[in-house]
Amino acid sequence: MDYFISAMKNYATFTGRARRSEYWFFYLFYFIFLVLAVILDNLLGITIEDTGIGPLYFVSILAMIIPGLAVTVRRLHDVGKSGWFYFIVLIPIIGSIWLLVLMVTDGQPGRNKYGKNPKGIGNEVALS
């Protein structure tokens, strides 16, 4: 939960780097919150007809758009890519697969042009 809270504290920070654990835990808890929103929508009987989802679900999605983009951009920075590289998902199938590969790849050791290594390993190495 610490990684989710960390991502939420930096909800609109598109600079710096994010570890794999921060990225994946953020999306894990985001998914859990979406499931809870759907359950609450159904328990309260406020779902849109024949969909099973309602206003709490939509509010949850809207509330997490900026933090989700920010943590994804910081994750791309950790592997040495620009945040604009996110648009690779616009390439059907292959773009999503390539982005997934980048999200599971270990970050660059030491500093890169986006900042210090969030793991704290190799930060003494000069930027080359």
Side-chain angles (χ1 to χ4, degrees):
M1 188 78 172
D2 290 337
Y3 290 114
F4 180 80
I5 293 169
S6 171
M8 291 305 292
K9 285 181 181 176
N10 295 314
Y11 75 95
T13 304
F14 291 86
T15 58
R17 297 168 63 174
R19 296 175 64 173
R20 281 182 294 187
S21 52
E22 181 181 352
Y23 175 82
W24 288 109
F25 278 112
F26 172 82
Y27 278 104
L28 172 67
F29 283 105
Y30 179 34
F31 177 74
I32 291 169
F33 291 143
L34 287 179
V35 169
L36 291 174
V38 169
I39 291 170
L40 280 173
D41 280 336
N42 283 284
L43 286 175
L44 297 173
I46 56 175
T47 59
I48 298 170
E49 194 172 312
D50 297 328
T51 63
I53 56 177
L56 294 177
Y57 176 78
F58 291 115
V59 167
S60 298
I61 287 178
L62 288 175
M64 294 295 175
I65 287 175
I66 300 295
L69 283 172
V71 77
T72 302
V73 167
R74 290 194 313 270
R75 180 73 199 120
L76 285 168
H77 288 172
D78 194 39
V79 294
K81 303 289 184 196
S82 166
W84 292 104
F85 206 78
Y86 180 74
F87 289 110
I88 196 167
V89 299
L90 296 176
I91 300 170
I93 302 169
I94 293 177
S96 297
I97 293 170
W98 184 245
L99 187 65
L100 177 64
V101 168
L102 290 174
M103 296 299 111
V104 299
T105 302
D106 194 17
Q108 290 181 331
R111 288 184 64 87
N112 67 13
K113 65 182 179 178
Y114 301 105
K116 293 181 186 177
N117 186 346
K119 290 182 180 179
I121 300 170
N123 283 332
E124 63 281 348
V125 178
L127 186 63
S128 53

